[in-house]
């Protein structure tokens, strides 16, 4: 079968990657989507059960750091687009084991860039019609000040805000904000972003970088705040709040991120950076209370029943105070908007985890349980 495009999505068995693969496979039957994933602890083919038999979907288990394998794969499928999500993604793990983060996030990205460059440069049309799209994070910008701890009404249209939404400072991350990463995770992502831009500036590779805020939604590995806490509330386990719970994160529903990736892959300008976010800042503790309220409501518990599970623990080392993305450029230039109001997104997410207990149990019953116990030892 001849496909109009052959696109590699790396990290497609992970949280965000699985939403991107699903969207592209369903929306573009004329494209072949090649999901390249090493299946680390975070990769899970159960995330893609519903599309695994589609004729335009291919799964390849491979390590992005393996240059020869990447080059061969790109040749085999005459790949003309790469959407690169594969990464080590958890900040706490990067604090314990920075080497793995440098290997996958930096060397892995470099290996993909070099393989794509060699292949495309050898073709008569070279870079024409090609795309190397690198998915990055707002964490590369560092931390913003929380100089309005009680919050202010943000000076922009807040499409994803709920009642009571606040901006906790008067500065935001813009595409022009200088990089200032703090954690080994964000340092590795910053380095990979620089390599991607360097391949454009040096060789003329058709690259795009986007920096997105915190994602939430179905299929997120339960080491991350939202799925971890939903599962702990359900199992009446402690909810380990780092520090005072005052840190601010800017949350976006994962399907909105996937839609942004679709728009930017097709319509974004080469060499540009786009920030992706929904102007949706929450202090951790306030967000945790929304989760508790939602889970208790759905499980039929009395209001406030699970508040007693909140347990303040030792803070994350170097814990960034506040992230807040300004996505005006993306909204104005490409017309993307987040679709979900936050409480709506949280309710949808809580229902998904409660309805998909088997998915959760398959993860939490094995090796991961041991890791989780070690992680919280001494906190
Ligand atoms: P995830 O940890 O859920 O998934 C990562 C995937 O990459 C897994 O399937 C894993 O098996 C795969 N992978 C890891 N190392 C690999 C290797 N060496 N070779 C091939 N595959 C490998 O991550 P996520 O939360 O879905 O994040 C995806 C991307 O989006 C990352 O690049 C991350 O930095 C970025 N990002 C994430 C968020 C967020 O809130 N989760 C926000 C902004 C940007
Ligand atoms: O901002 C984008 C980033 O968002 C992505 O680049 C990362 O890949 C992704 O993991 C996420 O990073 P965070 O560190 O913000 O996400 P996490 O879910 O780990 O933590 C969210 C906030 O909650 C953070 O302030 C730390 C806090 N936290 C987290 C956990 C796991 C707790 O208080 N307790 C916890 O047990």
């Amino acid at each position: 079968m001849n496909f109009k495009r052959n696109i590699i999505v790396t990290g497609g068995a992970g949280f965000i990657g699985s939403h991107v693969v699903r969207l592209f496979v369903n929306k573009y039957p004329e494209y072949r989507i090649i999901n390249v994933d090493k299946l680390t602890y975070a990769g899970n083919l159960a995330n893609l059960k519903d599309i695994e038999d589609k004729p335009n979907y291919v799964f390849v288990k491979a390590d992005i750091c393996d240059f020869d394998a990447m080059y061969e794969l790109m040749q085999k499928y005459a790949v003309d687009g790469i959407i690169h999500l594969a990464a080590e993604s958890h900040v706490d793990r990067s604090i314990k084991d920075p080497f793995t983060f440098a290997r996958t996030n930096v060397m892995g990205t470099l290996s993909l860039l070099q393989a794509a460059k060699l292949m495309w440069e050898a073709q008569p049309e070279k870079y024409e019609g090609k795309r190397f799209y690198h998915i990055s994070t707002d964490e590369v910008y560092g931390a913003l000040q929380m100089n309005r701890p009680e919050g202010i009404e943000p000076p922009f249209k807040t499409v994803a805000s709920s009642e009571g939404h606040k901006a906790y400072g008067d500065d935001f991350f813009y595409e022009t904000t200088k990089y200032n990463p703090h954690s080994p995770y964000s340092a590795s992502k910053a380095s990979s972003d620089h390599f991607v831009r360097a391949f454009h500036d040096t060789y003329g590779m058709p690259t795009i970088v986007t920096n997105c805020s915190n994602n939430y939604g179905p299929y997120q590995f339960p080491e991350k705040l939202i799925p971890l806490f939903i599962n702990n509330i359900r199992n009446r386990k402690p909810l380990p709040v780092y520090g005072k719970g005052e840190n601010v994160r800017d949350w976006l529903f994962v399907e909105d991120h996937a839609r942004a990736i679709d728009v930017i892959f097709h319509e974004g300008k080469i060499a540009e950076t786009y920030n992706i976010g929904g102007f949706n800042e929450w202090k951790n503790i306030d967000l945790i209370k929304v989760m508790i309220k939602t889970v208790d409501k759905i499980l039929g518990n009395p209001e406030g029943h699970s508040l007693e599970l909140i347990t303040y623990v030792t803070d994350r080392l170097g814990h960034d105070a506040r992230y807040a993305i300004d996505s005006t450029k993306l909204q104005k230039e490409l017309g993307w908007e987040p679709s979900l109001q936050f409480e709506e997104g949280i309710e949808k997410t809580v229902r998904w985890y409660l309805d998909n207990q088997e998915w959760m149990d398959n993860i939490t019953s094995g090796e991961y349980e041991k890791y989780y116990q070690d992680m919280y030892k001494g906190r």
Side-chain angles (χ1 to χ4, degrees), residues 261-302:
I261 290 172
D262 177 17
V263 171
I264 294 163
F265 178 76
H266 288 97
E267 291 164 39
K269 282 201 210 118
I270 299 294
E272 289 286 323
T273 296
Y274 298 91
N275 278 353
I276 309 174
F279 294 119
N280 185 36
E281 291 175 51
W282 285 79
K283 273 189 199 173
N284 288 341
I285 192 66
D286 293 338
L287 159 59
I288 289 161
K289 286 179 182 161
V290 173
M291 275 194 282
I292 290 176
K293 192 170 167 190
T294 312
V295 179
D296 277 343
K297 184 184 86 181
I298 295 172
L299 292 180
N301 295 329

Side-chain angles (χ1 to χ4, degrees), residues 89-92 137-139 185 212-215 223-226 228-229 240-242 247 249 251 284 316 319 323 376:
S89 68
H90 191 41
V91 175
D92 292 324
T137 170
D138 59 359
E139 300 202 10
Y185 163 67
C212 188
S213 61
N214 281 61
N215 285 217
E223 63 191 346
K224 308 279 167 52
L225 179 77
I226 291 186
L228 173 70
F229 277 36
V241 180
Y242 298 169
N247 302 64
R249 294 291 180 268
W251 294 93
N284 288 341
R316 173 183 280 176
H319 197 172
Y323 301 147
Y376 288 98

Side-chain angles (χ1 to χ4, degrees), residues 182-244:
H182 297 136
S183 71
Y185 163 67
S186 53
S188 69
K189 290 296 289 187
S191 172
S192 64
D193 296 7
H194 289 318
F195 269 109
V196 174
R197 294 192 180 106
F199 267 63
H200 170 269
D201 297 349
T202 308
Y203 310 111
M205 284 256 293
T207 61
I208 294 185
V209 177
T210 56
N211 300 84
C212 188
S213 61
N214 281 61
N215 285 217
Y216 71 98
Y219 300 111
Q220 187 168 30
F221 194 85
E223 63 191 346
K224 308 279 167 52
L225 179 77
I226 291 186
L228 173 70
F229 277 36
I230 293 172
N231 196 41
N232 283 11
I233 299 167
R234 172 185 168 269
N235 293 316
R236 298 216 54 78
K237 284 185 174 174
L239 306 175
V241 180
Y242 298 169
K244 294 184 179 146

Side-chain angles (χ1 to χ4, degrees), residues 57-73:
Y57 172 69
V58 179
F59 173 70
V60 179
K61 184 175 186 304
D63 186 338
I64 56 164
C65 300
D66 183 344
F67 170 81
D68 292 339
M70 291 304 108
Y71 184 67
E72 208 174 289
L73 197 62

Side-chain angles (χ1 to χ4, degrees), residues 14-15 18-19 22 44-50 216-222 226-228 230-231 234 253-255 294-295 298-299 344-363:
F15 166 47
S18 63
H19 289 275
R22 176 176 297 100
N44 186 353
L45 289 178
N47 297 358
L48 289 164
K49 271 254 155 290
D50 53 325
Y216 71 98
Y219 300 111
Q220 187 168 30
F221 194 85
I226 291 186
L228 173 70
I230 293 172
N231 196 41
R234 172 185 168 269
F253 191 63
V254 62
E255 289 175 14
T294 312
V295 179
I298 295 172
L299 292 180
E344 208 183 322
I346 283 291
E347 174 143 358
K348 203 168 158 175
T349 302
V350 167
R351 284 192 190 280
W352 188 87
Y353 285 102
L354 296 179
D355 289 348
N356 289 275
Q357 203 49 56
E358 201 183 328
W359 178 92
M360 179 66 85
D361 291 343
N362 281 341
I363 294 171

